[in-house]
Amino acid sequence: GADPMADDEKRVLMIVGAFNDALFMAGRNIAKLDMCTTDNLNIFAVLKASKIVVDEKALAILSEYFGENGEAFKSHYELE
């Protein structure tokens, strides 16, 4: 089948910390824009994007989860 990663279109991924109905409704009208919240972020969306925009709340959430020590990530997966 076709390789979705071979798409040469430049895409933008916008990551937000909380769902905002108005923002998502407006965003779906913008070509080549993918939007997600931090709780449904996936590696495919990240790899597909040529640019990533992160709002302040999402940045705080991601920093806490994957930050310098990644304590939330470690405890979620019971890693030492």
Side-chain angles (χ1 to χ4, degrees):
D3 180 5
M5 296 306 290
D7 184 7
D8 61 358
E9 293 184 27
K10 300 207 182 241
R11 301 195 65 80
V12 175
L13 173 62
M14 177 180 273
I15 306 168
V16 296
F19 182 79
N20 178 317
D21 193 49
L23 180 64
F24 276 79
M25 295 286 279
R28 71 181 185 182
N29 293 320
I30 301 172
K32 302 178 188 173
L33 174 67
D34 297 318
M35 299 179 69
C36 69
T37 57
T38 54
D39 61 344
N40 69 359
L41 179 62
N42 65 74
I43 191 65
F44 183 72
V46 172
L47 292 174
K48 196 167 72 166
S50 58
K51 295 187 186 218
I52 300 174
V53 177
V54 183
D55 77 0
E56 285 185 53
K57 184 173 182 175
L59 184 59
I61 292 168
L62 294 172
S63 293
E64 179 183 335
Y65 192 74
F66 294 109
E68 186 175 326
N69 296 319
E71 293 303 322
F73 178 81
K74 289 178 185 176
S75 64
H76 180 81
Y77 291 102
E78 299 178 4
L79 302 173
E80 294 179 5

